[in-house]
């Protein structure tokens, strides 16, 4: 069984989809899918589906949805509903667990590639880092759980996945900048800064990319725009690191300390090699 949560929810075997279209069963399956292989307590499932206002029949409703999901899974895998209950969507005595077996899970694949890419970035293997991070990011088909109603539990999972995706994008851009692809990245970074007007590191990456592409004035304008946004929305100035990058660009210090441009993984040099 293959599970996809990095975009619309998909749970299928071959071309046989098991995810139902009804909102509550779909939300329940999403909850089981994001934590595939782990048992989830009944009270957490009830909390996800109804939050602070569960009906008296909530437990019975979950059990009914589970029966429906087992039938869909059985049809998808071409097994009996008893086999689906025994091997795939199991009752643990206090909750339920979705066991995908040897099937693929896009979020797990993304996490694996992202971790390997980050390690390659730390080691200074920028080409490999970029390749691995791109592979991980290719797992995404849109916003996580794009077509699923979300309660507090799924919202937390989706927020975490979105943060990890953004981190992987930043690290991939850093790797590409280290390989001298500053000119090619200006457009992508400009778009990302419009989407995330308060994201300091994304603006810092754009500043460096513009500077190295021979556009120092635009680089300085990027800093000014970020500062305006932060002051207007949060009443604060850019961090010391961003200010230091701004100062280095302002002074034309292309040979400054490369550690100035470090963001946790690898130093980002202002000057192209």
């Amino acid at each position: 069984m293959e599970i996809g949560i990095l975009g619309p929810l998909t749970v299928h075997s071959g071309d046989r989809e098991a995810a139902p279209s009804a909102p509550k069963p779909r939300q329940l399956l999403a909850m089981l899918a994001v934590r595939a292989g782990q048992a989830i307590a009944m009270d957490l499932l009830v909390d996800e589906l109804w939050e602070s206002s569960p009906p008296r029949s909530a437990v019975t409703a979950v059990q009914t949805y589970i029966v429906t999901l087992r039938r869909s899974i059985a049809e998808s895998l071409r097994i009996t509903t008893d086999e689906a209950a025994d091997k795939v969507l199991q009752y643990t005595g206090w909750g339920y667990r979705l066991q995908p077996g040897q099937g693929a899970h896009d979020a797990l694949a993304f996490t694996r590639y992202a971790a390997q890419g980050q390690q390659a970035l730390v080691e200074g293997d920028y080409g490999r880092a970029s390749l691995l991070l791109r592979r991980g990011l290719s797992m995404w088909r849109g916003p996580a759980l794009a077509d699923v109603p979300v309660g507090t539990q799924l919202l937390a999972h989706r927020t975490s996945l979105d943060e990890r995706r953004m981190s992987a994008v930043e690290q991939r851009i850093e790797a590409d900048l280290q390989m001298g692809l500053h000119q090619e990245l200006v457009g992508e970074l400009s778009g990302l800064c419009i989407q995330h007007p308060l994201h300091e590191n994304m603006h810092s990456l754009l500043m460096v990319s513009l500077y190295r592409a021979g556009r120092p004035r635009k680089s300085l304008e990027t800093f000014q725009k970020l500062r305006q946004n932060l002051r207007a929305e949060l009443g604060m100035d850019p961090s010391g690191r961003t200010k230091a990058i701004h100062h280095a660009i302002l002074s034309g210090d292309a040979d400054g300390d490369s550690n100035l441009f470090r963001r946790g993984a690898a130093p980002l040099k202002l000057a192209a090699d």
Side-chain angles (χ1 to χ4, degrees):
M1 176 170 288
E2 297 183 358
I3 296 174
I5 63 173
L6 303 182
L9 175 67
T10 61
V11 178
H12 62 91
S13 176
D15 60 352
R16 299 182 298 278
E17 179 62 51
S21 58
K24 288 296 186 187
R26 191 172 184 84
Q27 188 176 0
L28 176 60
L29 180 58
M31 184 67 172
L32 294 163
V34 298
R35 294 172 56 179
Q38 303 176 36
I40 306 178
M42 176 64 80
D43 60 343
L44 290 180
L45 297 174
V46 170
D47 179 70
E48 168 60 28
L49 295 178
W50 292 283
E51 298 188 30
S52 60
S53 303
R56 292 184 178 180
S57 60
V59 171
T60 300
V62 170
Q63 293 170 339
T64 300
Y65 298 152
I66 290 292
V67 171
T68 300
L69 292 176
R70 283 172 173 164
R71 288 173 180 165
S72 297
I73 289 170
E75 291 177 6
S76 176
L77 295 177
R78 294 180 178 174
I79 59 178
T80 67
T81 53
D82 286 342
E83 289 175 313
D86 182 53
K87 299 178 181 179
V88 186
L89 183 44
Q90 304 165 332
Y91 177 60
T92 65
W94 48 273
Y96 293 93
R97 174 173 50 226
L98 180 65
Q99 288 282 28
Q102 300 301 312
H105 194 308
D106 60 0
L108 295 180
F110 163 70
T111 299
R112 182 174 63 254
Y113 281 126
Q116 292 172 350
Q118 181 181 24
Q119 183 60 36
L121 188 60
V122 169
E123 295 170 355
D125 191 347
Y126 304 123
R128 183 168 180 268
S130 179
L131 177 62
L132 289 167
L133 289 163
R134 286 178 187 276
R135 285 179 180 172
L137 291 166
S138 71
M139 300 289 116
W140 288 77
R141 296 168 286 110
L145 301 171
D147 60 348
V148 177
V150 296
T152 54
Q153 303 292 326
L154 284 180
L155 179 60
H157 282 288
R158 187 166 69 182
T159 300
S160 176
L161 285 168
D162 287 343
E163 289 294 328
R164 286 152 58 189
R165 181 186 192 182
M166 180 61 71
S167 179
V169 169
E170 292 177 63
Q171 290 171 5
R172 194 224 86 219
I173 290 172
E174 289 185 9
D176 288 346
L177 278 174
Q178 292 284 18
M179 293 189 293
L181 301 178
H182 37 272
Q183 187 70 53
E184 294 85 345
L185 291 167
V186 168
E188 178 184 4
L189 281 166
S190 296
L192 287 168
C193 287
I194 292 173
Q195 294 175 39
H196 307 280
L198 304 179
H199 199 297
E200 276 203 55
N201 192 58
M202 205 64 75
H203 283 75
S204 296
L205 291 169
L206 177 57
M207 288 162 61
V208 174
S209 181
L210 286 165
Y211 182 90
R212 289 174 57 173
R215 301 168 65 184
R217 176 177 295 183
K218 190 66 175 177
S219 178
L220 295 173
E221 289 175 359
T222 298
F223 175 82
Q224 296 299 336
K225 183 63 174 178
L226 171 65
R227 182 164 61 181
Q228 291 171 8
N229 292 339
L230 290 173
R231 286 179 174 177
E233 296 295 327
L234 303 177
M236 60 185 293
D237 281 331
S239 67
R241 173 184 175 275
T242 304
K243 288 180 178 179
I245 294 174
H246 172 252
H247 178 73
I249 293 171
L250 189 63
S251 63
D253 183 16
D255 297 319
D257 183 2
S258 64
N259 286 323
L260 181 66
F261 310 104
R262 186 178 180 86
R263 190 194 62 85
L268 181 60
K269 297 178 182 178
L270 178 58
D273 293 332

